[in-house]
Amino acid sequence: MDEGGVAGFYRTIRMIFQQIFDAINLGIVILDRDLKVQGWNRWMEVHSGIPVNDIINTDIFNSFPHLNNSKFIRSCKSVFTFGNFCFFSQKLHHYLFPFKTTSYSDFRFDYMQQSCAMGPLRNDNNEITNLFIYVQDMTEVAVYEHKLVEMNMRDGLTGIYNRRFLETKLKEEFNRHKRYGGVFSIIMFDIDFFKKVNDTYGHQCGDFILKSISSRVATLIRNVDFMARYGGEEFCCLLPETGIQAATAVAERFRSAIEHQENNFDGNLIKVTISLGVAEFKVEMESPHSLIKKTDEALYRAKREGRNRISVMEWEETVHP
Amino acid sequence: MIKKILIVDDSPIARKMLKSCLPKDQGFEFEEACNGQEGFEKYKSISPDLTFMDLTMPVMTGYEAIEEIIKYDKNALIIVVTADVQLKAIKTVLDSGAYMVLRKPLKKEDLQVALLKAQDTLQQVE
Amino acid sequence: MMETHEEQIFTSEELEILQEIMNIAFGKSAADLADVIDTHVVLNVPFIDIMQVTDLPSYILNYVKDYRNISIVEQNFWGRFKGDALLVFSSGSGKELITMLQHGENTSLESDPIEILERETLMEVGNIIIGACVGKLAELLKDVVTYTPPMIILERFYNDAISENHFDPDKTAIVLKTDFSFTEGNVSGFLFLITSNDSIQWMKEALRVFIAQYE
């Protein structure tokens, strides 16, 4: 190849790389040893709103002062000294560059979630003269991950927690109180004559009632309480730092609210009642299961004594001589 | 004049590399030792004009050998040749009387500069 | 057995050269590490061992068996010099490093669970130590390597952490081993660089070129 041919060949290659640099769906930043910006691709322009001409040859910390932290500086030093790669995962760092999110979702992050990496760029003599940073938008992946975690915790029909999640929480609370003492209570309730609702109005109506009741009760609990669908028409609430008397008062609010609630299903006004059992943690209890059993017994008693009422667990205080 | 040179390093390759960096036309006589203990013994028996000393060696380290040699001959000229370039190591050997520290991998130019300096120092002492 | 492998793969002179290059590379790494992570790292004299890949797990176990738990940072490096870097940290290293590296800096990470923080910190430090050692070694052998992102196994018992089928059994492993400790904080461990048949021809040539400068 003659000289012009070689030069022409490299010119073409350069043009191709420049186009890829700007077309790629990835942010690319090039910094020199003084951490001044030497490259800023179209993606970075679009998401940061900073045109390449405004940022080129300026200190990266001028535009992004929060990068002036020990981890970022350590990473740059390490790339320039050792020529290795440094990684900034979305899980820990969430983002390097604070950009607005672009993806639509019911769960919103404040900023675009990014997975970034940094590596060396060398000259003809193999000396590291610059470093590159690439920025990958991970927001959608992070949203899916959040949804998956949520799905694992929640009941599909009512959207409140599921039994598995409640049992995990209950175990945590139980073990903590076993060790450090303190009080907490649980309320179990179920819908009276629920089978009749299903038989009369159909299963769709049954589902509607389940949703309607769970969302009504959800308005009556505190942020720190957990409410879960425990079985078919059975619900369970975990009330941290709550003694039996306060828990019973809460249960009464549930009972009264549901008794007075009119559920409008396809023009049918349906009223239902609930029966409730209340129990509190006792340090003598062996396992979370013992507490659930006490609550279940109370609920059963409420049913037997005529429904639409509350029953409190029976507990004989052990007297220590 | 520097004539007799003692090289103390446990690695034969490292000793060979060092010798290859020294000028061939000055009629140096070399003696080698492969640990600090042997280095000290040889120092006593041949009284070299210049000693090259590695630091990490079995039996007796370079640090200890330097102390022994300086105790025996306070004018000993010892050039430490080491891969350990941390300031702490450098400070330690200079404090115990080493003449200077050269870093591995050795460069011919560095070694020749060192040799000239050592030559001057030796003449002043004499 | 091990003797014969060594004979076949490297001559004793080649082994000596490799040993000296490793001394130089790791000495330089330790000094640069002190600069980058702002703490003094002691890297001890490295050793070279050659064995069948299937013997690796028990070989590594022999070094780390005194640790209650271990955390491993693993990275592949790619160049003409290629292989697997395993950095094995002693128990509790992750938590120690978090305290050492943060220097009371208030980051936005406070809400993150300690386990994620521990994992990321070990990965960051592991990535830097591996990069330093492999990078310097490659540099002396006139090679440039790239790395895969680090993978991490956090605070496990040894047997759960390294399995027999972790490595390709048909290969011969050239293991470059060193142990390290931080002068500040209670952090220590071992670095194993495992390279195989694929790199041997190149390595022999690179060693020859290196020593030719001194002949």
Side-chain angles (χ1 to χ4, degrees):
Chain A
M1 227 185 278
D2 61 284
E3 269 309 299
V6 173
F9 174 72
Y10 281 113
R11 209 161 39 238
T12 312
I13 292 281
R14 275 184 64 129
M15 275 172 60
I16 289 173
F17 277 122
Q18 184 60 46
Q19 289 172 62
I20 295 174
F21 185 70
D22 280 329
I24 198 167
N25 185 20
L26 204 62
I28 302 179
V29 181
I30 297 171
L31 302 181
D32 62 18
R33 282 181 169 267
D34 299 325
L35 305 187
K36 285 189 168 24
V37 179
Q38 297 304 337
W40 191 254
N41 77 341
R42 185 71 44 81
W43 192 96
M44 291 303 290
E45 291 189 295
V46 170
H47 290 281
S48 66
I50 306 175
V52 60
N53 290 331
D54 289 3
I55 199 166
I56 210 91
N57 265 323
T58 67
D59 201 322
I60 186 78
F61 301 142
N62 285 351
S63 310
F64 299 95
H66 70 283
L67 290 178
N68 198 348
N69 63 62
S70 60
K71 151 94 187 177
F72 185 82
I73 293 169
R74 196 157 60 224
S75 301
C76 294
K77 262 191 190 173
S78 151
V79 169
F80 280 125
T81 316
F82 306 124
N84 65 334
F85 289 66
C86 293
F87 303 89
F88 299 81
S89 72
Q90 178 268 326
K91 277 216 169 54
L92 185 68
H93 299 273
H94 303 295
Y95 56 84
L96 267 190
F97 298 94
F99 296 158
K100 287 268 160 296
T101 52
T102 49
S103 57
Y104 291 94
S105 155
D106 42 356
F107 185 88
R108 278 292 197 145
F109 287 101
D110 289 343
Y111 292 106
M112 175 199 287
Q113 299 295 294
Q114 300 164 351
S115 168
C116 304
M118 188 187 269
L121 294 170
R122 297 168 191 270
N123 65 10
D124 286 346
N125 297 326
N126 247 339
E127 295 151 355
I128 302 167
T129 49
N130 291 284
L131 63 77
F132 70 83
I133 303 170
Y134 73 72
V135 185
Q136 209 177 350
D137 183 353
M138 298 292 283
T139 314
E140 274 184 53
V141 179
V143 167
Y144 279 127
E145 239 179 50
H146 264 267
K147 278 190 184 158
L148 272 177
V149 171
E150 283 276 294
M151 271 161 62
N152 227 359
M153 296 165 21
R154 298 212 177 254
D155 172 53
L157 178 71
T158 58
I160 60 176
Y161 291 116
N162 60 24
R163 177 170 178 160
R164 180 179 38 213
F165 180 79
L166 185 102
E167 282 176 341
T168 316
K169 274 286 155 209
L170 179 62
K171 205 169 142 193
E172 282 173 23
E173 284 293 300
F174 189 91
N175 291 339
R176 195 170 61 229
H177 285 75
K178 203 67 179 158
R179 197 173 306 161
Y180 303 112
V183 291
F184 77 93
S185 298
I186 58 178
I187 302 173
M188 284 252 217
F189 63 91
D190 89 357
I191 303 168
D192 297 327
F193 303 115
F194 185 65
K195 193 170 174 302
K196 222 185 257 175
V197 175
N198 271 331
D199 291 347
T200 317
Y201 302 98
H203 283 277
Q204 275 189 316
C205 178
D207 286 354
F208 172 78
I209 296 289
L210 287 170
K211 282 195 264 190
S212 159
I213 285 180
S214 60
S215 50
R216 180 73 185 99
V217 172
T219 63
L220 301 173
I221 59 174
R222 305 166 299 175
N223 281 338
V224 294
D225 300 332
F226 294 97
M227 173 176 160
R229 185 169 170 207
Y230 199 72
E233 71 264 27
E234 199 174 1
F235 297 84
C236 184
C237 280
L238 173 67
L239 313 171
E241 320 293 335
T242 308
I244 189 100
Q245 275 172 332
T248 311
V250 171
E252 172 52 29
R253 284 212 295 280
F254 291 3
R255 193 203 58 76
S256 149
I258 298 304
E259 182 181 29
H260 295 105
Q261 173 162 275
E262 291 187 334
N263 306 288
N264 185 341
F265 181 75
D266 278 351
N268 298 309
L269 286 185
I270 304 163
K271 282 183 136 187
V272 292
T273 57
I274 53 175
S275 303
L276 308 93
V278 185
E280 76 175 335
F281 164 81
K282 295 285 180 188
V283 82
E284 293 87 348
M285 288 175 174
E286 263 181 24
S287 69
H289 181 72
S290 335
L291 176 57
I292 290 278
K293 194 158 166 273
K294 279 283 164 202
T295 326
D296 238 356
E297 283 169 13
L299 171 56
Y300 183 69
R301 207 163 38 246
K303 290 260 176 207
R304 214 176 36 209
E305 288 171 0
R307 298 188 170 80
N308 190 21
R309 69 191 60 214
I310 298 162
S311 177
V312 176
M313 81 164 167
E314 291 170 342
W315 186 263
E316 303 245 333
E317 289 295 336
T318 8
V319 184
H320 299 284
Chain B
M1 279 300 287
I2 296 174
K3 265 281 177 253
K4 271 185 283 182
I5 295 180
L6 173 61
I7 302 176
V8 189
D9 197 313
D10 56 328
S11 159
I13 286 292
R15 299 198 295 268
K16 181 176 152 191
M17 283 162 61
L18 199 154
K19 274 195 281 182
S20 82
C21 291
L22 291 167
K24 310 270 177 295
D25 54 0
Q26 310 212 352
F28 293 136
E29 293 164 24
F30 294 109
E31 190 64 48
E32 301 182 16
C34 60
N35 65 57
Q37 181 68 44
E38 196 189 335
F40 179 49
E41 298 303 330
K42 290 217 163 140
Y43 189 94
K44 285 190 290 190
S45 63
I46 66 165
S47 316
D49 304 307
L50 180 62
T51 304
F52 289 102
M53 180 74 70
D54 183 25
L55 290 180
T56 39
M57 286 180 292
V59 189
M60 183 195 272
T61 66
Y63 299 100
E64 295 164 291
I66 293 169
E67 285 187 5
E68 291 297 326
I69 292 175
I70 294 290
K71 229 185 282 170
Y72 170 81
D73 171 9
K74 69 175 171 47
N75 290 323
L77 272 184
I78 304 171
I79 296 181
V80 171
V81 182
T82 181
D84 189 347
V85 291
Q86 305 199 43
L87 283 175
K88 208 175 117 191
I90 295 174
K91 198 176 172 306
T92 309
V93 292
L94 292 181
D95 284 351
S96 49
Y99 179 64
M100 66 164 79
V101 178
L102 292 178
R103 292 164 185 199
K104 290 182 178 180
L106 277 174
K107 292 198 192 80
K108 272 199 175 89
E109 312 82 68
D110 293 350
L111 198 55
Q112 271 150 22
V113 172
L115 217 53
L116 287 176
K117 278 192 189 163
Q119 193 80 264
D120 283 353
T121 311
L122 199 63
Q123 268 155 11
Q124 281 163 23
V125 174
E126 283 163 3
Chain C
M1 272 308 281
M2 236 143 102
E3 299 287 310
T4 49
H5 275 298
E6 284 186 34
E7 290 296 321
Q8 285 163 6
I9 291 169
F10 289 117
T11 63
S12 60
E13 193 193 48
E14 282 167 341
L15 279 176
E16 274 170 20
I17 302 169
L18 184 56
Q19 179 73 52
E20 183 62 14
I21 290 178
M22 278 172 57
N23 291 344
I24 297 171
F26 289 8
K28 187 83 172 71
S29 309
D32 289 345
L33 277 171
D35 184 39
V36 172
I37 52 183
D38 221 9
T39 178
H40 194 80
V41 182
V42 182
L43 282 168
N44 279 324
V45 183
F47 282 102
I48 305 160
D49 276 310
I50 294 174
M51 70 197 72
Q52 284 305 304
V53 162
T54 39
D55 297 332
L56 259 178
S58 57
Y59 170 84
I60 297 177
L61 172 63
N62 193 38
Y63 287 104
V64 302
K65 60 174 186 271
D66 292 341
Y67 294 155
R68 189 165 38 84
N69 280 343
I70 53 173
S71 297
I72 303 177
V73 178
E74 182 181 359
Q75 252 179 314
N76 292 113
F77 50 93
W78 293 81
R80 279 168 297 176
F81 179 39
K82 56 169 166 282
D84 203 12
L86 281 184
L87 193 61
V88 185
F89 285 99
S90 58
S91 8
S93 291
K95 292 199 175 68
E96 288 276 344
L97 286 172
I98 295 173
T99 343
M100 281 169 55
L101 291 188
Q102 285 199 330
H103 298 299
E105 193 171 274
N106 221 347
T107 55
S108 59
L109 311 170
E110 293 207 343
S111 58
D112 284 295
I114 186 84
E115 199 198 284
I116 295 186
L117 200 55
E118 211 178 326
R119 185 176 281 272
E120 294 289 325
T121 307
L122 279 173
M123 274 213 265
E124 188 198 334
V125 176
N127 182 37
I128 293 177
I129 296 180
I130 291 171
C133 295
V134 175
K136 285 295 159 201
L137 203 53
E139 187 187 309
L140 286 172
L141 295 171
K142 303 267 182 281
D143 192 19
V144 170
V145 292
T146 55
Y147 307 84
T148 56
M151 293 168 284
I152 182 157
I153 296 169
L154 193 66
E155 295 283 332
R156 298 252 191 94
F157 291 121
Y158 178 80
N159 288 333
D160 301 335
I162 293 187
S163 67
E164 295 280 335
N165 48 23
H166 193 88
F167 308 103
D168 182 351
D170 292 336
K171 290 191 169 165
T172 304
I174 305 164
V175 185
L176 314 179
K177 179 206 88 77
T178 186
D179 55 315
F180 65 90
S181 55
F182 286 47
T183 43
E184 191 191 323
N186 191 13
V187 180
S188 63
F190 289 91
L191 172 66
F192 303 94
L193 301 181
I194 301 155
T195 179
S196 66
N197 313 44
D198 307 343
S199 292
I200 291 173
Q201 274 319 309
W202 167 80
M203 232 165 150
K204 286 167 97 73
E205 177 59 17
L207 293 174
R208 197 191 58 71
V209 170
F210 178 84
I211 203 67
Q213 306 171 73
Y214 298 97
E215 273 163 355

